């Protein structure tokens, strides 16, 4: 069975963009692939986090994975810091990655611009840790949103370079980026993607938002000039709302356009708010229904399964580098 690996950061609150661009596809793909879904808390600390909140959010995100439909009976759910091999392989990959290729990463450039000369080394190294996550599991496919495409290309480049220099070691993974929903935009600024780190909370619908909040956010959503409701790249705000509508209802674009023919933006926002509220309603209940004990068992099993596979890859890597063989050399001398 081929493998998938993906993850999300337990920072801020997970939103509709994360769900539609990534988690939704994890749920669909888990039946066809052996699946690993990670809560990437080591990535989270590339930005300053409140320790207590980070611990809480790590558990909450694991619960959300399960609540949206990741089945711990068939998929492995685990916390990144539980598997030390992620940090160890990162070091090895750091030694084959080039400054110039990391400097080209657009997410790094965006963050570096905001933080000027105080940008952290972890922010720079973020994509290498991500490559380690993926390569440890000999992953075939990585379902992510559009914003991770460049990181996936780097992962492939690092795998190919290591294989070339030290012998075939890593499977070279492909990105799985959905045709629809790979880049859900902010409700308050359709030029920006919906983002957990956005200070403007009105732009993102969180998966655990209550009905009033969801209603308010869609009501205030920015629209384009004109009145027609149709999918049109030159009208990004309405197209974004229609895309969310399409993914949550499963209706075809022309069906949606004819449904809204002659209707106003207010109607679209109202219907979209209702659909989203109904869609998210069971989620909160499900999240709360998972006991600490149940979650503890799931994460323990996840850690064990993940550790076994990650350790095997890491041992091969160390042997290829001549590192795990060092003991034998000492004995011989
Ligand atoms: P994170 O937590 O920022 O995002 C989780 C997933 O959500 C996708 N996403 C979006 N999709 C559509 N529209 C949006 N507005 C939107 N915003 C976010 C992201 O593309 C991602 O798939 N670096 C990763 C976490 C990670 C990872 C990995 C992923 C660490 N290691 C290994 C895959 C494989 C990230 O951005 O998480």
């Amino acid at each position: 069975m081929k493998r998938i690996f993906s993850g999300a950061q337990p920072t801020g609150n997970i939103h509709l963009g994360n769900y539609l661009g990534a988690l939704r596809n994890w749920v669909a793909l888990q039946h066809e692939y052996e699946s690993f879904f990670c809560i990437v808390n080591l990535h989270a600390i590339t930005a300053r986090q409140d320790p207590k909140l980070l611990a809480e959010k790590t558990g909450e995100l694991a619960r959300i994975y399960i609540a949206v439909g990741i089945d711990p009976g068939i998929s492995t759910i685990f916390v990144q810091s539980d598997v030390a091999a992620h940090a160890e392989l990162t070091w090895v990959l750091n030694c084959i990655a080039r400054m110039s290729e990391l400097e080209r990463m657009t997410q790094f450039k965006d963050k570096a611009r905001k933080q000027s000369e105080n940008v952290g080394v972890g922010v720079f190294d973020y994509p290498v840790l991500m490559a380690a996550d993926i390569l440890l599991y000999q992953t075939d496919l990585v379902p992510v949103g559009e914003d991770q495409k460049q990181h996936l290309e780097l992962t492939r480049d690092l795998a190919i370079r290591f294989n070339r220099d030290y012998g075939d070691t890593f499977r070279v993974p492909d990105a799985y980026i959905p045709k629809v929903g790979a880049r859900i935009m902010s409700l308050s600024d359709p030029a920006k993607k919906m983002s957990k780190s956005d200070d403007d909370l009105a732009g993102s619908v969180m998966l655990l938002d209550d009905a009033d909040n969801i209603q308010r956010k869609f009501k205030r959503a920015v629209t384009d000039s004109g009145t027609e409701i149709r999918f049109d790249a030159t009208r990004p705000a309405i197209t974004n709302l229609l895309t969310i509508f399409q993914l949550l209802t499963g209706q075809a674009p022309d069906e949606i356009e004819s449904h809204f023919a002659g209707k106003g933006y207010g109607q679209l926002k109202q219907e979209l708010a209702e659909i989203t509220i109904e869609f998210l309603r069971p989620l909160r209940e499900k999240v709360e229904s998972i006991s600490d004990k149940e979650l503890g068992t799931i994460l323990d099993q996840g850690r064990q399964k993940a550790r076994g596979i990650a350790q095997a890859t890491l041992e091969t890597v160390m042997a290829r580098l001549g590192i795990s063989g060092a003991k034998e050399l000492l004995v011989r001398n």
Side-chain angles (χ1 to χ4, degrees):
M1 213 175 183
K2 290 195 165 183
R3 276 202 192 132
I4 59 178
F5 181 98
S6 201
Q9 296 186 72
T11 48
N13 290 311
I14 194 150
H15 53 66
L16 215 45
N18 298 128
Y19 175 72
L20 297 174
L23 274 71
R24 178 176 184 272
N25 301 316
W26 305 356
V27 174
L29 291 165
Q30 69 180 332
H31 303 286
E32 296 161 53
Y33 291 82
E34 185 184 7
S35 307
F36 293 82
F37 300 117
C38 188
I39 295 115
V40 295
N41 56 348
L42 297 176
H43 279 103
I45 60 166
T46 57
R48 180 81 186 261
Q49 303 295 332
D50 174 72
K52 188 164 170 283
L53 195 63
L54 178 62
E56 268 169 36
K57 288 283 169 195
T58 301
E60 183 184 275
L61 187 55
R63 287 185 158 88
I64 290 177
Y65 282 8
I66 299 162
V68 297
I70 303 296
D71 176 355
I74 56 171
S75 298
T76 302
I77 300 173
F78 73 103
V79 179
Q80 189 183 31
S81 60
D82 276 347
V83 184
H86 291 245
E88 294 177 66
L89 183 60
T90 299
W91 178 254
V92 171
L93 296 178
N94 276 338
C95 298
I96 66 160
R98 318 247 194 270
M99 295 289 282
S100 57
E101 62 192 344
L102 297 185
E103 278 162 357
R104 278 199 298 274
M105 296 290 117
T106 56
Q107 283 205 347
F108 167 70
K109 287 198 278 188
D110 285 350
K111 288 180 186 164
R113 204 177 308 121
K114 285 181 199 148
Q115 300 171 6
S116 70
E117 70 264 33
N118 286 326
V119 59
V121 176
V123 175
F124 185 65
D125 206 28
Y126 181 110
V128 181
L129 176 58
M130 187 165 157
D133 296 343
I134 297 166
L135 298 179
L136 276 175
Y137 298 89
Q138 304 294 358
T139 302
D140 296 283
L141 201 64
V142 186
V144 283
E146 163 77 33
D147 61 349
Q148 298 304 310
K149 193 171 170 208
Q150 201 185 22
H151 292 163
L152 255 297
E153 279 158 15
L154 174 79
T155 302
R156 289 173 55 86
D157 289 345
L158 294 179
I160 292 167
R161 192 174 307 152
F162 190 96
N163 289 348
R164 185 199 62 201
D165 292 350
Y166 298 100
D168 208 16
T169 308
F170 295 121
R171 198 164 299 171
V172 181
D174 287 312
Y176 174 99
I177 296 171
K179 286 201 183 70
V180 182
R183 193 172 173 82
I184 299 293
M185 308 311 280
S186 158
L187 299 188
S188 38
D189 180 358
K192 283 196 320 203
K193 67 171 183 180
M194 193 178 277
S195 163
K196 281 189 230 143
S197 52
D198 198 337
D199 294 331
D200 171 25
L201 296 176
S204 309
V205 173
M206 308 306 177
L207 296 192
L208 297 181
D209 270 350
D210 61 24
D212 283 353
N213 247 321
I214 297 172
Q215 188 88 42
R216 193 167 338 111
K217 287 177 182 176
F218 279 117
K219 202 166 181 180
R220 287 192 192 154
V222 167
T223 49
D224 307 294
S225 56
T227 53
E228 243 187 305
I229 298 180
R230 57 185 167 77
F231 290 84
D232 174 354
T234 65
R235 298 165 71 227
I238 290 302
T239 301
N240 189 42
L241 295 179
L242 288 172
T243 301
I244 299 173
F245 193 97
Q246 178 187 352
L247 290 166
L248 292 182
T249 61
Q251 290 173 19
D254 53 350
E255 205 182 333
I256 299 169
E257 287 176 350
S258 52
H259 171 75
F260 285 112
K263 293 181 184 153
Y265 289 163
Q267 180 76 23
L268 168 62
K269 290 176 171 187
Q270 180 57 31
E271 286 190 34
L272 187 52
E274 282 165 20
I275 285 164
T276 308
I277 290 166
E278 282 320 304
F279 181 78
L280 295 179
R281 195 189 299 283
L283 210 84
R284 179 185 288 270
E285 267 172 45
K286 178 81 183 138
V287 163
E288 279 161 16
S289 77
I290 304 164
S291 71
D292 289 352
K293 186 162 175 273
E294 201 182 335
L295 185 67
T297 308
I298 290 167
L299 294 180
D300 279 350
Q301 285 168 350
R303 176 180 56 214
Q304 272 174 32
K305 174 91 191 269
R307 269 189 190 165
I309 294 167
Q311 197 55 37
T313 304
L314 189 67
E315 277 168 21
T316 309
V317 168
M318 293 312 194
R320 294 270 150 84
L321 289 165
I323 288 178
S324 62
K327 221 189 310 170
E328 286 155 39
L329 285 178
L330 280 177
V331 171
R332 220 178 298 146
N333 291 336

